[in-house]
Amino acid sequence: MSESSNKYDFTTIEAKWQQHWEAARPYKVTVDSDRKKYYVLEMFPYPSGRIHMGHVRNYTIGDVIARYKRMRGFNVIHPMGWDAFGLPAENAALKRGIHPAAWTYDNIAYMRDQLKAMGLSYDWDRELATCDPSYYRWEQLIFLKMLEQDLVYRKETTVNWCDSCATVLAREQVIDGCCWRCDEQVTPRIMHGWFFRITEYADELLADLETLKGWPDKVVTMQRNWIGRSHGLSCDFPIEGSHEKLTIFTTRPDTIFGVTFMSIAVEHPLVDTLVAGTEFEQEVRDFVRKTIAEKQRKSVDEELEKHGVFTGAYCVNPFTSERIPIYVANFVLMEYGSGAVMAVPAHDQRDFEFARKYDLPVRQVIVPPGHDTASDALEEAYTEPGVLIDSGEFSRMDSEAAKLAIINHARDHGIGRRATTYRLRDWGISRQRYWGAPIPIIHCADCGIVPVPEKDLPVVLPGSDDPNGSHAPLHQQEDFIRTTCPTCGRPARRETDTMDTFVESSWYFARYTCPDFMDGPLDPDQTGYWLPVDQYIGGVEHAILHLLYSRFFTKVLRDLGYVAIDEPFKNLLTQGMVIKEGRKMSKSKGNVVDPNDLIQRYGADTVRLFSLFAAPPERDLEWNAQGVDGASRFLNKVYRLVQANKTVFAGAPTVQNLDGLDTYSRNLHRKTHQTIKRVTGSIETNFHFNTAISAVMELVNMAAGLVNENRNIDPAVLRECCETTLLLLFPMVPHFCEELWQQTGHNHTMDTAQWPTFDAEAARENSITIIVQVNGKVRSRLEVDSDTDNETLERLALADERVMKFIGAGKPKKIIVVQKKLVNIVI
RNA sequence: GCGAGAGUGGCGGAACUGGUAGACGCACUAGACUUAGGAUCUAGCGCACUAUGUGUGUGGGGGUUCAACUCCCCCCUCUCGCACCA
């Protein structure tokens, strides 16, 4: 046998089919209301230069699903595009002296070729790049519509500033106190910025998590925690000798009789008025200054020791009329609740520590159920619910009832109200960089903030159509800034912030349905048919950022009338990382595997097959070079099997008469149908392609074994086996299967082939193995007819020679017979 | 600290609603065919021992059950997320 017939020539074959797909465009789709649609989407890549193994894995998984669903008869939309705005382009531009646009489009061209070399079945006619004005002009329009609906606003706040990126970050983009992109320490800074009112949708974002049955629990939980809704009481404590009052939020109104002091944040607006002109002023101001500096400096995992100083001021507990001293404390967050906390040291561990440190009273007002007096001395705060004591009219109520009663009391007396707070903050979208979508706003000295009229959109990024154009941050580009006010016509200045790139990725999946639509952001005829995304696939690292923003945007687009769905992604698959030597691949660790090298050496199909086989999709995948050899070996084995039996394809009839088959043929026929069942099951239940591939391997091993042993397998059975193998493998290794399909005389390409169905009767085993246990230990096996009844099984088991040896002369205490499984004899 | 997930051969991983633990692949060992083999084929491959048999074994310890990788309780380790959220 010559070399060439022994191994398949992946280079030639893959090029051939890629050319075919390029020319015939079998993956181009249009709306077809007679067919059920299926939208498969992988998170689109940032065009960083070249694809990496994570992309290979992600896109392979998506491609298998797309191809599989096509074979199941769905009208499958499977698009690809580029998350093309972002900072690396600017950095690269500075380093290499080329324009960010040029750098980005070069990368896109290169990476597009790489994706095509993987044989991914995208509808390339839908490709989009978010840095293209034809995309971001609609984003600008959406921004303006949101502004009209008061979902966008501008405010001055403390923001997270990343020095190295020279821009602001949203809270979600700060990871362990560092920038999510460059890992540099983030520092607070006070700036103007634009915000999306995502908190307006907090309740819906939370409630609709319940509808996301197709999402991993982990992601749902992460989002729920991120939104962090809590219910409680907002209550006013009048400040002594002042008209001001201190408003606090608590989730434990039942402990309000145990308040012994107040803690307020160093940034609290009342700090100044409380201490101005008092003997405490100096000390408090020093403390505030010191603490703010400390917070900036603080590294992530160090929890600051609790400190505070007395302001000299008192407020009054509206429930007890007691005087309550007010402290400024370093552990109170201004960003959450109202920046002021009622301190109940007996029932809150932080307050307890603080009280211990500054020798403040601890007053128990909750005791464990069944107790009715306070314990002598607490060693730590009692934070569980319980029964109220020393709480006036609320004494003896349990915590839950008391919470309600106290909230109602506060409401009835005008001192407080039921309140809900969220951990979620509004989404700050302003970025002070160049390579992003300009925010379409004009600042006029007379008219204030004026939206750019719709007819003037897009506000094109200056210089982006000129390779020598400036790519300085917009606030440095005077020509861009100078404009006239659309309202009064006087000279005015353009907004220079660009939008966070997460804005682009929050609606791209919708634009894929109508990438060329010119009359608005989205074409209702297209979105109505294609949305939502049926299966979304990407890394779990986007569990909060991208997925939460996209959910928010979907709801906004719905309320603006652009889409008719509530949630963008029906099912979500979060795939694990590709690791090597137990660690994430990274240049610094020198353990990076380059997809290009692999594809050249093994071909795309082998790379695809291995990345599917080595682990189930949701787990991390350990890259193993020898494992890739194994995948390659398997494909060659299939190749040889098909090549050696090409003749059976020519005229073999379909399998009809089972009775006429010899044992070997019957076994192979059965195995074929069992394999269809197993593969279909693996894909349908959880996309566990690793077990699907194992099943096909077993089938191929059996067929190749029988052929090697020169069993004269019935041609119809052998043909069925080989064709089934190709059909089952096609979604995973498409070039390879198409080639063999064609070589074996099929007139139509596999793109139009149907997924095989299994015949339950053919798959049924007629003899089964029954396990015989004595006291739970396996002692023997019985080969019996599959419909042997339980009494017979018991009789056969007891008569078994090996079993008899173990049960001896005694009479069995108990015999358990499990249908078609086992017999357990207890002695 | 809180929350979620995971611990199975030398390795990646299988095991349906409790019912043969280790499918499939890699690595390894022996053999066959070969000028050659990083090709192919055959056989073996958890561990231990008094080896054609017995014991033992799914992070550790208890429990439920005729029967536990699977269910319950306690503990250990790792990964991820959150982290003074009042």
Side-chain angles (χ1 to χ4, degrees), chain A residues 61-82:
Chain A
I61 293 167
D63 198 49
V64 178
I65 296 172
R67 290 179 184 276
Y68 170 76
K69 290 290 178 181
R70 271 188 213 107
M71 292 176 85
R72 297 305 301 246
F74 288 93
N75 191 22
V76 173
I77 183 172
H78 187 212
M80 178 44 73
W82 310 96

Side-chain angles (χ1 to χ4, degrees), chain A residues 105 154 289 329 466 641 673 691:
Chain A
Y105 283 107
R154 198 166 114 102
R289 202 179 318 114
D466 170 5
L641 177 70
H673 284 268
T691 53

Side-chain angles (χ1 to χ4, degrees), chain A residues 617-688:
Chain A
E618 69 279 4
R619 279 223 229 173
D620 284 351
L621 185 156
E622 171 72 30
W623 195 263
N624 177 319
Q626 287 162 328
V628 185
D629 283 323
S632 168
R633 225 174 283 163
F634 170 68
L635 291 182
N636 280 314
K637 189 170 192 171
V638 176
Y639 184 75
R640 285 193 306 276
L641 177 70
V642 173
Q643 292 296 334
N645 296 285
K646 264 185 182 173
T647 51
V648 304
F649 286 90
T654 51
V655 184
Q656 278 164 348
N657 184 4
L658 293 186
D659 299 334
L661 293 180
D662 61 288
T663 311
Y664 295 112
S665 298
R666 178 70 185 86
N667 287 349
L668 186 61
H669 179 60
R670 182 188 302 113
K671 185 77 172 175
T672 301
H673 284 268
Q674 290 175 337
T675 304
I676 297 170
K677 186 180 180 184
R678 281 175 65 189
V679 171
T680 309
S682 288
I683 297 177
E684 288 288 339
T685 52
N686 48 17
F687 300 126
H688 278 198

Side-chain angles (χ1 to χ4, degrees), chain A residues 586-800:
Chain A
S586 78
K587 275 180 227 138
S588 60
K589 292 183 192 111
N591 62 346
V592 180
V593 175
D594 182 19
N596 270 20
D597 298 346
L598 283 166
I599 290 171
Q600 273 189 18
R601 183 153 169 217
Y602 294 97
D605 284 329
T606 294
V607 176
R608 291 169 59 119
L609 187 69
F610 178 74
S611 64
L612 295 164
F613 179 63
E618 69 279 4
R619 279 223 229 173
D620 284 351
L621 185 156
E622 171 72 30
W623 195 263
N624 177 319
Q626 287 162 328
V628 185
D629 283 323
S632 168
R633 225 174 283 163
F634 170 68
L635 291 182
N636 280 314
K637 189 170 192 171
V638 176
Y639 184 75
R640 285 193 306 276
L641 177 70
V642 173
Q643 292 296 334
N645 296 285
K646 264 185 182 173
T647 51
V648 304
F649 286 90
T654 51
V655 184
Q656 278 164 348
N657 184 4
L658 293 186
D659 299 334
L661 293 180
D662 61 288
T663 311
Y664 295 112
S665 298
R666 178 70 185 86
N667 287 349
L668 186 61
H669 179 60
R670 182 188 302 113
K671 185 77 172 175
T672 301
H673 284 268
Q674 290 175 337
T675 304
I676 297 170
K677 186 180 180 184
R678 281 175 65 189
V679 171
T680 309
S682 288
I683 297 177
E684 288 288 339
T685 52
N686 48 17
F687 300 126
H688 278 198
F689 307 113
N690 56 330
T691 53
I693 294 166
S694 306
V696 180
M697 283 174 168
E698 284 186 38
L699 176 64
V700 171
N701 287 347
M702 185 185 212
L706 292 171
V707 169
N708 283 342
E709 291 164 21
N710 287 317
R711 310 292 177 191
N712 286 315
I713 300 299
D714 182 273
V717 170
L718 190 53
R719 174 180 173 183
E720 179 192 53
C721 167
C722 291
E723 286 189 337
T724 300
T725 299
L726 294 178
L727 288 164
L728 296 178
L729 288 177
F730 175 68
M732 311 186 209
V733 288
H735 316 83
F736 176 86
C737 291
E738 276 287 16
E739 179 63 23
L740 288 180
W741 195 250
Q742 189 185 56
Q743 284 187 25
T744 50
H746 296 87
N747 300 324
H748 298 287
T749 62
M750 296 193 85
D751 286 314
T752 57
Q754 296 277 305
W755 186 254
T757 50
F758 74 93
D759 173 352
E761 182 52 31
R764 201 174 67 90
E765 292 284 359
N766 41 20
S767 97
I768 52 174
T769 307
I770 299 293
I771 300 306
V772 185
Q773 299 178 328
V774 177
N775 284 349
K777 289 191 206 301
V778 179
R779 295 304 180 188
S780 186
R781 294 175 167 82
L782 302 172
E783 286 297 320
V784 299
D785 207 78
S786 59
D787 44 10
T788 310
D789 62 47
N790 287 1
E791 291 84 64
T792 316
L793 284 179
E794 184 175 327
R795 191 166 45 72
L796 287 170
L798 288 168
D800 187 277

